[in-house]
Coordinates of all heavy atoms in Angstrom, one line a residue:
E1 N 0.9 -1.2 0.0 CA 0.0 0.0 0.0 C 0.9 1.2 0.0 O 1.9 1.3 0.7 CB -0.9 0.0 1.2 CG -1.8 1.2 1.3 CD -2.7 1.1 2.6 OE1 -3.0 0.0 3.1 OE2 -3.0 2.2 3.0
G2 N 0.5 2.3 -0.7 CA 1.3 3.5 -0.8 C 1.0 4.5 0.2 O 0.7 5.7 -0.1
S3 N 1.1 4.2 1.5 CA 0.8 5.1 2.5 C 1.7 4.8 3.7 O 2.3 3.8 3.8 CB -0.7 5.1 3.0 OG -0.9 3.8 3.6
A4 N 1.8 5.8 4.6 CA 2.6 5.6 5.9 C 2.0 4.4 6.7 O 2.7 3.7 7.3 CB 2.6 6.9 6.7
E5 N 0.6 4.3 6.7 CA 0.0 3.2 7.4 C 0.4 1.9 6.8 O 0.6 0.9 7.5 CB -1.6 3.4 7.3 CG -2.1 4.5 8.2 CD -2.1 5.8 7.5 OE1 -1.6 5.9 6.3 OE2 -2.6 6.8 8.1
G6 N 0.5 1.8 5.4 CA 0.9 0.6 4.8 C 2.3 0.2 5.2 O 2.7 -0.9 5.4
V7 N 3.2 1.3 5.2 CA 4.6 1.0 5.7 C 4.6 0.5 7.1 O 5.3 -0.5 7.4 CB 5.4 2.3 5.5 CG1 6.8 2.1 6.2 CG2 5.6 2.7 4.1
A8 N 3.8 1.1 8.0 CA 3.7 0.7 9.4 C 3.3 -0.8 9.5 O 3.8 -1.6 10.3 CB 2.8 1.6 10.2
Q9 N 2.2 -1.1 8.7 CA 1.7 -2.5 8.8 C 2.8 -3.5 8.3 O 2.9 -4.6 8.8 CB 0.4 -2.6 8.0 CG -0.7 -1.9 8.6 CD -1.1 -2.4 9.9 OE1 -1.0 -3.5 10.3 NE2 -1.6 -1.5 10.8
A10 N 3.5 -3.1 7.2 CA 4.6 -4.0 6.7 C 5.7 -4.1 7.7 O 6.2 -5.3 7.9 CB 5.1 -3.4 5.4
L11 N 6.1 -3.1 8.4 CA 7.1 -3.2 9.4 C 6.6 -4.0 10.6 O 7.4 -4.8 11.2 CB 7.4 -1.8 10.0 CG 8.2 -0.9 9.0 CD1 8.3 0.5 9.6 CD2 9.6 -1.5 8.8
A12 N 5.3 -3.9 10.9 CA 4.7 -4.8 12.0 C 4.8 -6.2 11.6 O 5.1 -7.1 12.5 CB 3.3 -4.3 12.3
K13 N 4.5 -6.6 10.4 CA 4.6 -8.0 9.9 C 6.1 -8.5 10.0 O 6.3 -9.6 10.5 CB 4.1 -8.1 8.5 CG 2.6 -8.0 8.4 CD 2.2 -8.1 6.9 CE 0.7 -7.9 6.8 NZ 0.2 -7.9 5.5
V14 N 7.0 -7.7 9.7 CA 8.4 -8.1 9.8 C 8.8 -8.2 11.3 O 9.4 -9.2 11.7 CB 9.4 -7.1 9.1 CG1 10.8 -7.4 9.4 CG2 9.1 -7.1 7.6
A15 N 8.3 -7.3 12.1 CA 8.6 -7.4 13.6 C 8.0 -8.7 14.2 O 8.6 -9.3 15.0 CB 8.1 -6.2 14.3
Q16 N 6.8 -9.1 13.7 CA 6.2 -10.3 14.2 C 7.0 -11.5 13.8 O 6.9 -12.5 14.5 CB 4.8 -10.4 13.7 CG 3.9 -9.4 14.4 CD 2.5 -9.3 13.8 OE1 2.2 -9.7 12.6 NE2 1.5 -8.8 14.5
L17 N 7.8 -11.5 12.8 CA 8.6 -12.6 12.4 C 9.7 -12.8 13.5 O 10.2 -13.9 13.7 CB 9.3 -12.4 11.1 CG 8.4 -12.4 9.9 CD1 9.2 -12.0 8.6 CD2 7.7 -13.7 9.7
H18 N 10.1 -11.7 14.2 CA 11.1 -11.8 15.2 C 10.6 -11.9 16.6 O 11.3 -12.3 17.5 CB 12.1 -10.6 15.1 CG 12.7 -10.5 13.7 ND1 13.8 -11.3 13.4 CD2 12.5 -9.8 12.6 CE1 14.2 -11.1 12.2 NE2 13.4 -10.1 11.7
K19 N 9.3 -11.5 16.7 CA 8.7 -11.5 18.0 C 7.2 -11.9 17.8 O 6.5 -11.1 17.2 CB 8.8 -10.0 18.6 CG 8.3 -9.9 20.0 CD 8.6 -8.5 20.5 CE 8.3 -8.4 22.0 NZ 9.2 -9.2 22.8
D20 N 6.9 -13.0 18.3 CA 5.6 -13.6 18.0 C 4.4 -12.7 18.3 O 3.4 -12.6 17.6 CB 5.4 -15.0 18.7 CG 6.3 -16.0 18.0 OD1 6.7 -15.9 16.9 OD2 6.5 -17.0 18.7
D21 N 4.5 -12.1 19.5 CA 3.4 -11.2 19.9 C 3.9 -9.9 20.4 O 5.1 -9.7 20.5 CB 2.5 -11.9 20.9 CG 3.3 -12.3 22.2 OD1 4.5 -12.1 22.2 OD2 2.7 -12.8 23.1
G22 N 3.1 -9.0 20.8 CA 3.5 -7.8 21.4 C 3.9 -6.7 20.4 O 4.5 -5.7 20.8
V23 N 3.5 -6.9 19.1 CA 3.7 -5.8 18.1 C 2.4 -5.0 18.0 O 1.4 -5.6 17.7 CB 4.2 -6.4 16.8 CG1 4.4 -5.3 15.8 CG2 5.4 -7.3 17.0
K24 N 2.6 -3.7 18.2 CA 1.4 -2.8 18.2 C 1.6 -1.7 17.2 O 2.7 -1.1 17.2 CB 1.2 -2.3 19.6 CG 0.0 -1.5 19.9 CD 0.0 -1.1 21.3 CE -1.4 -0.6 21.8 NZ -1.4 -0.4 23.2
V25 N 0.6 -1.4 16.4 CA 0.6 -0.2 15.5 C -0.4 0.8 16.0 O -1.6 0.4 16.3 CB 0.3 -0.6 14.1 CG1 0.2 0.6 13.2 CG2 1.3 -1.6 13.5
I26 N 0.0 2.0 16.3 CA -0.8 3.1 16.7 C -0.9 4.1 15.7 O 0.1 4.6 15.2 CB -0.3 3.7 18.1 CG1 -0.3 2.6 19.2 CG2 -1.1 4.9 18.5 CD1 0.4 3.2 20.4
S27 N -2.1 4.5 15.3 CA -2.3 5.7 14.4 C -2.5 6.9 15.3 O -3.4 7.0 16.1 CB -3.5 5.5 13.5 OG -3.6 6.7 12.7
A28 N -1.6 7.9 15.1 CA -1.7 9.1 15.9 C -2.1 10.3 14.9 O -1.9 11.4 15.2 CB -0.4 9.5 16.6
R29 N -2.6 9.9 13.8 CA -3.0 10.9 12.8 C -4.1 11.7 13.4 O -5.1 11.2 14.0 CB -3.4 10.3 11.5 CG -2.3 9.7 10.7 CD -2.7 9.3 9.3 NE -1.5 8.9 8.6 CZ -0.9 9.7 7.7 NH1 -1.4 10.9 7.5 NH2 0.1 9.3 7.0
G30 N -4.0 13.0 13.2 CA -5.0 13.9 13.7 C -5.0 14.2 15.2 O -5.8 14.9 15.8
A31 N -4.0 13.6 15.9 CA -3.9 13.8 17.4 C -3.5 15.2 17.8 O -2.8 15.8 17.1 CB -2.8 12.8 17.9
D32 N -4.1 15.6 18.9 CA -3.7 16.9 19.4 C -2.7 16.7 20.5 O -2.3 15.6 20.8 CB -4.9 17.7 19.9 CG -5.7 17.0 21.0 OD1 -5.2 16.2 21.7 OD2 -6.9 17.3 21.1
L33 N -2.3 17.8 21.2 CA -1.2 17.6 22.2 C -1.7 16.7 23.4 O -0.9 15.9 23.9 CB -0.7 18.9 22.7 CG 0.2 19.7 21.8 CD1 0.5 21.1 22.3 CD2 1.5 18.9 21.7
A34 N -2.9 16.9 23.8 CA -3.4 16.0 24.9 C -3.5 14.6 24.5 O -3.1 13.7 25.3 CB -4.8 16.5 25.3
Q35 N -3.9 14.3 23.3 CA -3.9 12.9 22.8 C -2.5 12.4 22.6 O -2.3 11.2 22.9 CB -4.7 12.8 21.5 CG -6.2 13.1 21.6 CD -6.9 13.3 20.3 OE1 -6.3 14.0 19.4 NE2 -8.1 12.9 20.2
S36 N -1.6 13.2 22.2 CA -0.2 12.8 22.0 C 0.4 12.4 23.4 O 1.1 11.4 23.5 CB 0.6 13.9 21.5 OG 0.3 14.1 20.1
S37 N 0.0 13.1 24.4 CA 0.5 12.7 25.8 C 0.0 11.3 26.2 O 0.8 10.5 26.7 CB 0.1 13.7 26.8 OG 0.7 15.0 26.6
R38 N -1.2 11.1 25.9 CA -1.8 9.7 26.2 C -1.2 8.7 25.4 O -0.9 7.6 25.9 CB -3.3 9.7 26.1 CG -4.0 10.5 27.2 CD -5.5 10.3 27.2 NE -6.2 10.9 26.0 CZ -6.5 12.1 25.8 NH1 -6.3 13.0 26.7 NH2 -7.1 12.5 24.7
L39 N -0.9 9.0 24.1 CA -0.3 8.0 23.2 C 1.1 7.7 23.6 O 1.6 6.6 23.5 CB -0.4 8.5 21.8 CG -1.8 8.5 21.2 CD1 -1.8 9.2 19.8 CD2 -2.3 7.1 21.0
I40 N 1.8 8.7 24.1 CA 3.2 8.5 24.5 C 3.2 7.5 25.7 O 4.0 6.6 25.8 CB 3.9 9.8 24.9 CG1 4.2 10.6 23.7 CG2 5.2 9.6 25.7 CD1 4.6 12.0 23.9
I41 N 2.3 7.7 26.6 CA 2.2 6.8 27.8 C 1.8 5.4 27.3 O 2.5 4.4 27.7 CB 1.1 7.3 28.8 CG1 1.6 8.6 29.4 CG2 0.8 6.2 29.8 CD1 0.5 9.3 30.2
D42 N 0.9 5.2 26.4 CA 0.5 3.9 25.8 C 1.8 3.3 25.1 O 2.1 2.1 25.4 CB -0.6 4.1 24.8 CG -1.2 2.8 24.3 OD1 -1.0 1.8 25.0 OD2 -1.8 2.8 23.2
M43 N 2.4 4.1 24.3 CA 3.6 3.6 23.6 C 4.7 3.1 24.5 O 5.2 2.0 24.4 CB 4.1 4.7 22.6 CG 5.4 4.4 21.9 SD 5.9 5.7 20.8 CE 6.5 6.9 22.0
T44 N 5.1 4.0 25.4 CA 6.2 3.7 26.3 C 5.9 2.6 27.3 O 6.8 1.7 27.6 CB 6.7 4.9 27.1 OG1 5.6 5.5 27.8 CG2 7.3 6.0 26.1
S45 N 4.6 2.5 27.7 CA 4.2 1.4 28.6 C 4.3 0.0 27.9 O 4.8 -1.0 28.4 CB 2.8 1.6 29.1 OG 2.7 2.7 29.9
H46 N 3.9 0.0 26.6 CA 3.9 -1.2 25.8 C 5.3 -1.7 25.6 O 5.6 -2.8 25.7 CB 3.2 -1.0 24.5 CG 3.1 -2.2 23.6 ND1 2.2 -3.2 23.9 CD2 3.8 -2.5 22.5 CE1 2.3 -4.1 23.0 NE2 3.3 -3.8 22.1
V47 N 6.2 -0.7 25.3 CA 7.6 -1.1 25.1 C 8.3 -1.5 26.4 O 9.0 -2.5 26.4 CB 8.4 0.1 24.4 CG1 9.9 -0.1 24.4 CG2 7.8 0.4 23.0
A48 N 7.9 -0.9 27.5 CA 8.5 -1.2 28.8 C 8.1 -2.7 29.2 O 8.8 -3.3 29.9 CB 8.0 -0.3 29.9
Q49 N 7.0 -3.1 28.7 CA 6.5 -4.5 28.9 C 7.1 -5.5 27.9 O 6.7 -6.6 27.9 CB 5.0 -4.6 28.9 CG 4.4 -3.8 30.0 CD 2.8 -3.7 29.9 OE1 2.2 -4.2 29.0 NE2 2.2 -2.9 30.8
G50 N 8.0 -5.0 27.1 CA 8.7 -5.9 26.2 C 8.1 -5.9 24.8 O 8.6 -6.7 23.9
G51 N 7.2 -5.1 24.5 CA 6.5 -5.0 23.2 C 7.3 -4.1 22.2 O 8.2 -3.4 22.6
I52 N 6.8 -4.2 21.0 CA 7.3 -3.3 19.9 C 6.1 -2.4 19.5 O 5.0 -2.9 19.3 CB 7.8 -4.1 18.7 CG1 9.0 -4.9 19.1 CG2 8.1 -3.2 17.6 CD1 9.5 -5.9 18.1
C53 N 6.4 -1.1 19.4 CA 5.3 -0.2 19.0 C 5.7 0.6 17.8 O 6.8 1.2 17.8 CB 5.0 0.7 20.2 SG 3.5 1.6 20.0
I54 N 4.8 0.7 16.8 CA 5.0 1.5 15.6 C 3.9 2.5 15.6 O 2.8 2.2 15.7 CB 5.0 0.6 14.4 CG1 6.1 -0.5 14.4 CG2 5.1 1.4 13.1 CD1 6.0 -1.6 13.4
V55 N 4.3 3.8 15.5 CA 3.4 4.9 15.5 C 3.4 5.6 14.2 O 4.4 5.9 13.7 CB 3.7 5.8 16.7 CG1 2.7 7.0 16.7 CG2 3.8 5.1 18.0
V56 N 2.2 5.8 13.7 CA 2.0 6.6 12.4 C 1.6 8.0 12.8 O 0.6 8.2 13.5 CB 1.0 5.9 11.5 CG1 0.8 6.7 10.2 CG2 1.3 4.5 11.2
L57 N 2.4 9.0 12.3 CA 2.1 10.4 12.5 C 1.7 11.1 11.3 O 2.2 10.8 10.2 CB 3.4 11.0 13.1 CG 4.0 10.4 14.4 CD1 5.3 11.1 14.7 CD2 3.0 10.6 15.5
D58 N 1.0 12.2 11.5 CA 0.9 13.2 10.4 C 2.3 13.9 10.2 O 3.2 13.8 11.1 CB -0.1 14.3 10.8 CG -1.5 13.9 11.0 OD1 -2.0 13.1 10.1 OD2 -2.1 14.3 12.0
S59 N 2.4 14.6 9.2 CA 3.6 15.5 9.0 C 3.7 16.4 10.2 O 2.7 17.0 10.6 CB 3.5 16.3 7.7 OG 4.5 17.3 7.8
V60 N 4.9 16.5 10.9 CA 5.0 17.3 12.0 C 5.0 18.8 11.6 O 4.9 19.7 12.4 CB 6.3 17.0 12.8 CG1 6.2 15.6 13.4 CG2 7.5 17.2 12.0
L61 N 5.1 19.1 10.3 CA 5.0 20.4 9.8 C 3.5 20.9 9.8 O 3.3 22.1 10.0 CB 5.6 20.5 8.4 CG 7.0 20.2 8.2 CD1 7.5 20.3 6.8 CD2 7.9 21.0 9.1
T62 N 2.6 20.0 9.5 CA 1.2 20.3 9.5 C 0.5 20.0 10.9 O -0.5 20.6 11.2 CB 0.4 19.6 8.4 OG1 0.6 18.2 8.6 CG2 0.9 20.0 7.1
N63 N 1.1 19.1 11.7 CA 0.5 18.8 13.0 C 1.7 18.6 14.0 O 2.2 17.5 14.2 CB -0.3 17.5 12.9 CG -1.0 17.2 14.3 OD1 -0.8 18.0 15.2 ND2 -1.7 16.1 14.3
P64 N 2.1 19.8 14.6 CA 3.3 19.7 15.5 C 3.0 18.8 16.7 O 4.0 18.5 17.5 CB 3.4 21.2 15.9 CG 2.7 22.0 14.9 CD 1.6 21.1 14.4
A65 N 1.8 18.4 17.0 CA 1.5 17.5 18.1 C 2.3 16.2 18.0 O 2.5 15.5 19.0 CB 0.0 17.3 18.3
G66 N 2.7 15.9 16.8 CA 3.5 14.6 16.6 C 4.9 14.7 17.0 O 5.6 13.7 17.2
I67 N 5.4 15.9 17.2 CA 6.8 16.1 17.6 C 7.1 15.4 18.9 O 8.1 14.6 19.0 CB 7.3 17.6 17.6 CG1 7.2 18.1 16.2 CG2 8.7 17.7 18.2 CD1 7.4 19.6 16.1
P68 N 6.3 15.5 20.0 CA 6.7 14.8 21.2 C 6.6 13.3 21.0 O 7.4 12.6 21.6 CB 5.6 15.3 22.2 CG 5.0 16.5 21.6 CD 5.2 16.5 20.1
L69 N 5.7 12.8 20.2 CA 5.6 11.4 20.0 C 6.9 10.9 19.2 O 7.5 9.9 19.6 CB 4.4 11.0 19.1 CG 3.1 10.8 19.9 CD1 1.9 11.0 19.0 CD2 3.1 9.4 20.4
A70 N 7.3 11.6 18.2 CA 8.6 11.3 17.5 C 9.8 11.3 18.5 O 10.6 10.4 18.4 CB 8.8 12.2 16.3
L71 N 9.8 12.3 19.4 CA 10.9 12.4 20.3 C 10.9 11.2 21.3 O 11.9 10.8 21.8 CB 10.9 13.7 21.0 CG 11.2 14.9 20.1 CD1 11.0 16.2 20.8 CD2 12.6 14.8 19.4
A72 N 9.7 10.7 21.7 CA 9.6 9.7 22.6 C 9.9 8.3 22.0 O 10.2 7.3 22.8 CB 8.2 9.7 23.2
A73 N 9.9 8.2 20.7 CA 10.2 6.9 20.0 C 11.6 6.6 20.0 O 12.5 7.5 20.2 CB 9.6 7.0 18.6
D74 N 12.0 5.4 19.9 CA 13.4 5.0 19.8 C 14.0 5.4 18.4 O 15.2 5.6 18.3 CB 13.5 3.5 19.9 CG 13.2 3.0 21.4 OD1 13.5 3.8 22.3 OD2 12.8 1.8 21.5
A75 N 13.2 5.4 17.4 CA 13.7 5.8 16.1 C 12.5 6.3 15.2 O 11.3 6.1 15.6 CB 14.3 4.5 15.4
A76 N 12.8 7.0 14.1 CA 11.8 7.5 13.2 C 12.2 7.1 11.8 O 13.4 7.0 11.4 CB 11.8 9.0 13.4
L77 N 11.2 7.0 11.0 CA 11.3 6.7 9.6 C 10.5 7.8 8.8 O 9.3 7.9 9.1 CB 10.8 5.3 9.2 CG 10.8 4.9 7.8 CD1 12.3 4.7 7.3 CD2 10.1 3.6 7.6
L78 N 11.1 8.5 8.0 CA 10.5 9.6 7.2 C 9.8 9.0 6.0 O 10.5 8.3 5.2 CB 11.5 10.6 6.8 CG 11.0 11.8 6.0 CD1 10.0 12.7 6.9 CD2 12.1 12.7 5.5
C79 N 8.5 9.2 5.8 CA 7.8 8.7 4.6 C 7.4 9.9 3.8 O 6.8 10.9 4.3 CB 6.5 8.0 5.1 SG 6.9 6.4 6.0
V80 N 7.8 9.9 2.6 CA 7.5 11.1 1.7 C 6.8 10.7 0.4 O 7.2 9.7 -0.2 CB 8.9 11.7 1.3 CG1 8.7 12.9 0.4 CG2 9.7 12.2 2.5
H81 N 5.7 11.3 0.1 CA 5.0 11.0 -1.1 C 5.6 11.8 -2.3 O 5.9 13.0 -2.2 CB 3.5 11.5 -1.0 CG 2.7 10.5 -0.2 ND1 2.1 9.4 -0.7 CD2 2.3 10.6 1.1 CE1 1.4 8.8 0.2 NE2 1.5 9.5 1.3
L82 N 6.0 11.1 -3.3 CA 6.7 11.7 -4.5 C 5.7 12.7 -5.1 O 4.5 12.5 -5.2 CB 7.0 10.6 -5.5 CG 8.1 9.6 -5.1 CD1 8.2 8.5 -6.1 CD2 9.4 10.3 -4.9
G83 N 6.3 13.8 -5.4 CA 5.6 14.9 -6.1 C 4.8 15.8 -5.2 O 4.2 16.7 -5.6
E84 N 4.8 15.4 -3.9 CA 4.0 16.2 -2.9 C 4.9 17.0 -1.9 O 4.5 18.1 -1.5 CB 3.0 15.3 -2.1 CG 2.0 14.7 -3.0 CD 1.0 13.9 -2.3 OE1 0.8 14.1 -1.1 OE2 0.5 12.9 -2.9
A85 N 6.0 16.4 -1.5 CA 6.9 17.0 -0.5 C 8.1 17.6 -1.2 O 8.6 16.9 -2.2 CB 7.3 16.0 0.5
D86 N 8.6 18.7 -0.8 CA 9.8 19.2 -1.4 C 10.9 19.0 -0.4 O 10.7 18.6 0.8 CB 9.6 20.7 -1.6 CG 9.2 21.5 -0.4 OD1 9.9 21.4 0.6 OD2 8.2 22.3 -0.5
S87 N 12.1 19.1 -0.9 CA 13.3 18.8 0.0 C 13.4 19.7 1.2 O 13.9 19.3 2.2 CB 14.6 18.9 -0.9 OG 14.8 20.2 -1.4
E88 N 12.9 21.0 1.1 CA 13.0 21.9 2.2 C 12.1 21.4 3.3 O 12.4 21.4 4.5 CB 12.5 23.3 1.8 CG 13.5 24.0 0.9 CD 13.3 23.7 -0.6 OE1 12.2 23.2 -0.9 OE2 14.3 23.8 -1.3
S89 N 10.9 20.8 3.0 CA 10.0 20.3 4.0 C 10.6 19.1 4.7 O 10.5 18.9 5.9 CB 8.6 19.9 3.3 OG 8.0 21.1 2.8
A90 N 11.2 18.2 3.9 CA 11.8 17.0 4.5 C 12.9 17.4 5.4 O 13.1 16.9 6.5 CB 12.3 16.1 3.3
Q91 N 13.7 18.4 5.0 CA 14.8 18.9 5.8 C 14.3 19.5 7.1 O 14.9 19.3 8.2 CB 15.7 19.9 5.0 CG 16.9 20.4 5.8 CD 17.9 19.3 6.2 OE1 18.1 18.3 5.5 NE2 18.4 19.4 7.4
R92 N 13.3 20.3 7.0 CA 12.7 20.9 8.2 C 12.2 19.9 9.2 O 12.3 20.0 10.4 CB 11.6 21.9 7.8 CG 11.0 22.7 8.9 CD 12.0 23.6 9.6 NE 11.4 24.3 10.7 CZ 11.9 24.5 11.9 NH1 13.2 24.1 12.1 NH2 11.3 25.1 12.8
T93 N 11.6 18.8 8.6 CA 11.1 17.7 9.5 C 12.2 17.1 10.2 O 12.1 16.8 11.4 CB 10.3 16.7 8.6 OG1 9.2 17.3 8.0 CG2 9.9 15.5 9.4
V94 N 13.3 16.8 9.5 CA 14.5 16.2 10.1 C 15.0 17.1 11.2 O 15.4 16.6 12.3 CB 15.5 15.8 9.1 CG1 16.8 15.4 9.7 CG2 15.0 14.7 8.2
E95 N 15.1 18.4 11.0 CA 15.6 19.3 11.9 C 14.7 19.4 13.2 O 15.2 19.4 14.3 CB 15.6 20.7 11.3 CG 16.7 20.9 10.3 CD 16.6 22.2 9.5 OE1 15.7 23.0 9.8 OE2 17.4 22.5 8.7
L96 N 13.4 19.4 13.0 CA 12.5 19.4 14.1 C 12.5 18.2 15.0 O 12.5 18.3 16.3 CB 11.0 19.6 13.7 CG 10.6 21.0 13.1 CD1 9.3 20.9 12.5 CD2 10.7 22.0 14.2
V97 N 12.7 17.1 14.4 CA 12.7 15.8 15.2 C 14.1 15.5 15.6 O 14.3 14.9 16.7 CB 12.1 14.7 14.4 CG1 12.2 13.3 15.1 CG2 10.6 15.0 14.1
G98 N 15.1 15.8 14.8 CA 16.5 15.5 15.1 C 17.0 14.5 14.2 O 16.5 13.4 14.2
A99 N 18.0 14.8 13.5 CA 18.6 13.9 12.4 C 19.0 12.6 13.0 O 18.8 11.5 12.4 CB 19.8 14.5 11.7
S100 N 19.5 12.6 14.2 CA 20.0 11.3 14.9 C 18.9 10.3 15.2 O 19.1 9.1 15.4 CB 20.8 11.6 16.1 OG 19.9 12.2 17.1
R101 N 17.6 10.8 15.2 CA 16.5 9.9 15.5 C 16.0 9.1 14.3 O 15.4 8.1 14.4 CB 15.3 10.8 16.0 CG 15.7 11.7 17.2 CD 14.7 12.0 18.1 NE 14.0 10.9 18.7 CZ 14.5 10.2 19.7 NH1 15.7 10.4 20.2 NH2 13.8 9.2 20.3
F102 N 16.4 9.6 13.1 CA 15.9 8.9 11.8 C 16.8 7.8 11.5 O 18.0 7.9 11.4 CB 15.8 9.9 10.7 CG 14.7 10.8 10.8 CD1 14.8 12.0 11.5 CD2 13.4 10.5 10.2 CE1 13.7 12.9 11.6 CE2 12.3 11.3 10.4 CZ 12.4 12.5 11.0
V103 N 16.2 6.6 11.2 CA 16.9 5.5 10.7 C 16.8 5.4 9.2 O 17.5 4.5 8.6 CB 16.3 4.2 11.3 CG1 16.6 4.1 12.8 CG2 14.9 4.0 11.0
G104 N 16.1 6.2 8.5 CA 16.0 6.2 7.1 C 14.8 7.0 6.6 O 14.0 7.6 7.3
A105 N 14.5 6.8 5.3 CA 13.4 7.4 4.6 C 12.9 6.5 3.5 O 13.7 5.7 3.0 CB 13.8 8.8 4.1
V106 N 11.6 6.6 3.3 CA 11.0 5.8 2.2 C 10.2 6.8 1.3 O 9.6 7.8 1.8 CB 10.1 4.7 2.6 CG1 10.9 3.6 3.3 CG2 9.0 5.1 3.5
T107 N 10.2 6.5 0.0 CA 9.3 7.3 -0.8 C 8.1 6.5 -1.2 O 8.2 5.3 -1.4 CB 10.1 7.7 -2.1 OG1 10.5 6.6 -2.8 CG2 11.2 8.7 -1.8
L108 N 7.0 7.2 -1.2 CA 5.7 6.6 -1.5 C 5.1 7.2 -2.8 O 5.5 8.3 -3.1 CB 4.7 6.8 -0.3 CG 5.2 6.4 1.0 CD1 4.2 6.9 2.1 CD2 5.2 4.9 1.1
P109 N 4.3 6.4 -3.5 CA 3.7 7.0 -4.7 C 2.8 8.2 -4.4 O 2.3 8.3 -3.3 CB 3.0 5.8 -5.3 CG 2.7 4.9 -4.2 CD 3.8 5.1 -3.2
P110 N 2.6 9.0 -5.4 CA 1.7 10.1 -5.2 C 0.3 9.6 -4.7 O -0.1 8.5 -5.2 CB 1.6 10.8 -6.5 CG 2.8 10.4 -7.3 CD 3.2 9.0 -6.7
R111 N -0.4 10.3 -3.9 CA -1.7 9.9 -3.5 C -2.7 10.0 -4.6 O -2.7 10.8 -5.4 CB -2.2 10.8 -2.3 CG -1.4 10.5 -1.0 CD -1.9 11.4 0.1 NE -0.8 12.2 0.5 CZ -0.6 12.6 1.7 NH1 -1.4 12.2 2.7 NH2 0.4 13.3 2.1

């Protein structure tokens, strides 16, 4: 599937090959700051219990409430739709979250 959700689901399937259970995908799309706080607790609690958590966020440029979630995660993966995002937006996203947090980037087909 050509979406961040599709990437998250694919990553979850790979994670399940290495860990039979305890893989959780959380959609934080549209979350506000209060919801982000609750999702951080959910995410970190799940990981503290030995689970793996994959969180799907909106662009932090359009929804800054995702920044705390990205910072609370162990790693981030930048998903970019071809023809929709420019290099300045991608660079700004990396700057806001921190380059060291990113493990890579994937390009997705145009929506």
Side-chain angles (χ1 to χ4, degrees):
E1 180 181 331
S3 68
E5 288 85 358
V7 171
Q9 292 299 330
L11 288 172
K13 286 180 184 176
V14 172
Q16 287 172 341
L17 295 174
H18 299 284
K19 187 173 187 65
D20 289 338
D21 59 355
V23 179
K24 184 177 196 175
V25 176
I26 297 173
S27 177
R29 290 193 172 258
D32 60 23
L33 281 173
Q35 292 165 323
S36 288
S37 295
R38 287 190 296 277
L39 290 170
I40 289 169
I41 292 168
D42 186 22
M43 175 181 72
T44 55
S45 296
H46 185 73
V47 171
Q49 295 170 3
I52 295 172
C53 194
I54 300 168
V55 181
V56 180
L57 303 173
D58 294 316
S59 164
V60 296
L61 299 179
T62 59
N63 185 359
I67 294 172
L69 273 158
L71 294 175
D74 290 331
L77 179 67
L78 182 65
C79 296
V80 179
H81 284 276
L82 293 173
E84 294 181 29
D86 55 53
S87 60
E88 292 84 19
S89 296
Q91 182 61 37
R92 183 69 181 134
T93 298
V94 170
E95 289 170 1
L96 287 170
V97 175
S100 65
R101 307 207 57 79
F102 284 90
V103 294
V106 295
T107 55
L108 303 170
R111 291 181 240 217

